[in-house]
Amino acid sequence: MNVEEFNSSAERQILVGMIVNPTVLGRISSKWERDSFTSKYANMIASWCVKHYQDYGKAPGKGILHHFQSWADRAHRDEGLVRLIEGFLSSLSDEYQLNGEINPDHLLDVASAQFNRNRIKRVASLAISHEQAGEVEKAMECMHSYSKLELGSTACIDPFLHE
């Protein structure tokens, strides 16, 4: 099993916000991309949050444990991986209890910056791969496909968003 290190304080704060705050989750879920985080496990937990929001119009809160348990029970997951994700969720819970209240506007600005940073890295890496393979047109398409993600106070507000 590959152990993936995940120490990004910003990404942890964003993930906590998605779990507990409907404003944060609502804005992020409206523009969610499956690989917004650098960690595949953070992306997995975030996708549970987005699904929960789409189904119920609110953040999962402690209900995230139901999503975890459903995931863990499917397909006979590797016990080490289950413990890893369980520990990760527990550490996020501890962090939330330690830090308390969330400022949604600030956290959405942090999320915009972090997700844009991650998107830039992915697009640049893909463009470089195409360029190195002699596929200059595909590299150019990658570079032109990038657009800035806005989630915070400067983003457009969706009037149909549940908040």
Side-chain angles (χ1 to χ4, degrees), residues 65-79:
L65 297 177
H66 169 73
H67 294 283
F68 164 72
Q69 198 59 54
S70 294
W71 169 83
D73 290 345
R74 273 194 317 268
H76 307 288
R77 304 278 181 201
D78 173 67
E79 188 61 34

Side-chain angles (χ1 to χ4, degrees), residues 1 18 25 36-37 57 68 86-87 98 100 107 110 125 128 137 139 158:
M1 174 177 74
M18 290 179 74
L25 180 55
S36 292
F37 290 97
F68 164 72
E86 184 176 38
L98 181 68
L107 191 54
V110 170
S125 176
I128 289 169
E137 286 300 317
D158 182 351

Side-chain angles (χ1 to χ4, degrees), residues 84-96:
L84 178 75
I85 301 299
E86 184 176 38
F88 183 44
L89 284 170
S90 178
S91 72
L92 292 173
S93 177
D94 292 346
E95 191 169 314
Y96 174 65

Side-chain angles (χ1 to χ4, degrees), residues 132-157:
Q132 290 174 343
E135 301 167 334
V136 176
E137 286 300 317
K138 285 185 180 180
M140 293 299 292
E141 286 174 21
C142 288
M143 298 305 292
H144 289 295
S145 72
Y146 177 80
S147 61
K148 185 176 180 182
L149 177 69
E150 292 284 348
L151 297 169
S153 56
T154 59
C156 294
I157 305 298

Side-chain angles (χ1 to χ4, degrees), residues 8-28 37 95-96 99-115 117 149-153:
S8 172
S9 177
E11 290 198 352
R12 291 176 65 84
Q13 290 172 17
I14 297 162
L15 198 51
V16 167
M18 290 179 74
I19 293 169
V20 302
N21 190 285
T23 301
V24 170
L25 180 55
R27 291 264 183 89
I28 290 174
F37 290 97
E95 191 169 314
Y96 174 65
N99 295 331
E101 288 298 311
I102 289 175
N103 178 339
D105 292 329
H106 171 72
L107 191 54
L108 287 164
D109 288 340
V110 170
S112 291
Q114 186 66 35
F115 292 166
R117 189 172 10 266
L149 177 69
E150 292 284 348
L151 297 169
S153 56

